[in-house]
Amino acid sequence: MTTRAVHTTHAPQSSAPPPGAGRHILTAVALAATVPYLALKAAWLSGSRIGIPDGSVLLEAGLFLTVANAVTLAMDACVILLVLVLTRPWGLRTPAWTLAVPVFTATGLLTPILLGFPGQLLVRALGFGTAPEAAAAREPFLDSWVFIVVYTGFTVQGLALAALFVPYARKRWGRRWQGVLGERLPSPTGVVAAAAASGALAVAAMFAYWAFGGTAGLSGGRAEAHSVESAVGCVAQAVCALAAGAGALLLARGGALRARWPLGLTWVGAAATLAWGSWVLIASLGPQLDGGEGAPGIARLLYAGQMVTGSLATAVLIRFLITRRES
């Protein structure tokens, strides 16, 4: 009996992470980013005053604040479920609308924060933010660290969810944005797109006016509190509105442009304009938790204009996706 020597070769060890490791990291990051907000809301619902200074109107807000905290806690908790849908095998079998609606809503609520919050941190770091004396003179509302913690968490959530959703959408609906835009959408859709673009211009113009210090349509408190930081927030809203209008026009016009770019532009812009406009309008109709005046009629009209513009752009987006499904 002869014995043959078996020679084995060992592949060099690679430092690259195994397939799927990046998704696991993103999952952990997205889940961890919900913890600060959920912890704060849970603490406030249980009666804690963490982050709420003495004299804050939040200490006397009563039932409305309790309901608002419960609703927003539930909304952020939905991020956990959304992460599971995007990362688990059974997530690919969920009905499309049950995923599209919450993702669209999350995109809308988080995009202005992703655009505005880093810009506000930048202008503050450059020394253009609100002076400490001016900040100290305002009525107490929340400790400043609360805003940093909460909006940092929202920013991380938004980035992580986007990084998880794109590969999920590519795997499930990739053919919808492959290739070019193709033929022009039917004439009625073009009219809707033109209306969305017109509304976007009007909304963006008003936000730009506020960004550069205009006070028409602002309450006295908001006008006095104007700063470079608030201007950055207005610019973010204007950019979202313009994205919705421009994306809707591109989708309706068709052509040789690759579909993914105007599709993404419309998705993000329409979601942000519709969701944020709805959120702020609803908030303006309720009790003012910061103790200030309610929003004037012009401001509420602007928020309603955001909703209409976002809705029109969303209608064009849906029509485009239906056309791609039928083709």
Side-chain angles (χ1 to χ4, degrees):
M1 180 180 295
T2 61
T3 303
R4 290 188 300 175
V6 179
H7 298 280
T8 60
T9 58
H10 298 279
Q13 295 293 324
S14 172
S15 60
R23 187 175 66 171
H24 294 323
I25 294 173
L26 286 171
T27 300
V29 169
L31 295 176
T34 66
V35 172
Y37 190 76
L38 293 177
L40 275 172
K41 291 293 182 174
W44 292 339
L45 286 170
S46 65
S48 172
R49 291 181 50 181
I50 182 172
I52 304 176
D54 293 335
S56 172
V57 294
L58 294 178
L59 298 176
E60 303 175 0
L63 180 61
F64 180 83
L65 180 61
T66 300
V67 173
N69 281 333
V71 170
T72 49
L73 183 147
M75 290 173 63
D76 204 49
C78 287
V79 172
I80 298 174
L81 179 59
L82 189 56
V83 169
L84 294 177
V85 172
L86 294 175
T87 56
R88 306 307 301 168
W90 52 264
L92 291 170
R93 299 189 297 271
T94 57
W97 71 268
T98 63
L99 177 63
V101 171
V103 169
F104 190 77
T105 304
T107 301
L109 294 176
L110 293 174
T111 295
I113 296 174
L114 288 173
L115 293 176
F117 182 60
Q120 291 171 336
L121 291 180
L122 178 61
V123 299
R124 190 179 303 174
L126 294 175
F128 297 109
T130 304
E133 298 80 9
R138 295 178 184 173
E139 291 293 328
F141 185 60
L142 283 171
D143 291 336
S144 58
W145 66 263
V146 175
F147 294 99
I148 300 296
V149 168
V150 167
Y151 282 93
T152 298
F154 285 158
T155 301
V156 174
Q157 282 182 43
L159 293 174
L161 285 174
L164 290 172
F165 178 67
V166 169
Y168 176 97
R170 183 184 296 118
K171 185 174 183 179
R172 185 167 182 177
W173 302 299
R175 63 185 181 85
R176 299 286 178 88
W177 63 66
Q178 291 175 354
V180 299
L181 289 171
E183 297 182 1
R184 182 186 296 268
L185 294 179
S187 179
T189 306
V191 173
V192 173
S198 299
L201 288 174
V203 168
M206 192 64 186
F207 274 116
Y209 168 74
W210 284 349
F212 285 98
T215 58
L218 293 176
S219 64
R222 281 197 60 185
E224 292 177 3
H226 177 76
S227 64
V228 178
E229 293 163 283
S230 61
V232 170
C234 289
V235 170
Q237 295 292 342
V239 168
C240 290
L242 292 175
L249 282 180
L250 290 172
L251 291 182
R253 186 183 65 179
L257 185 65
R258 296 198 55 90
R260 64 170 68 114
W261 303 115
L263 183 61
L265 189 68
T266 312
W267 175 280
V268 173
T273 307
L274 174 57
W276 200 261
S278 304
W279 179 261
V280 180
L281 179 61
I282 293 171
S284 71
L285 297 175
Q288 301 304 297
L289 298 182
D290 61 359
E293 306 171 33
I298 295 179
R300 291 176 181 173
L301 184 62
L302 174 65
Y303 304 148
Q306 281 185 281
M307 291 176 56
V308 172
T309 299
S311 298
L312 292 172
T314 302
V316 176
L317 174 67
I318 293 172
R319 185 68 184 90
F320 175 81
L321 292 174
I322 291 174
T323 301
R324 303 289 280 198
R325 183 177 64 187
E326 294 172 349
S327 62

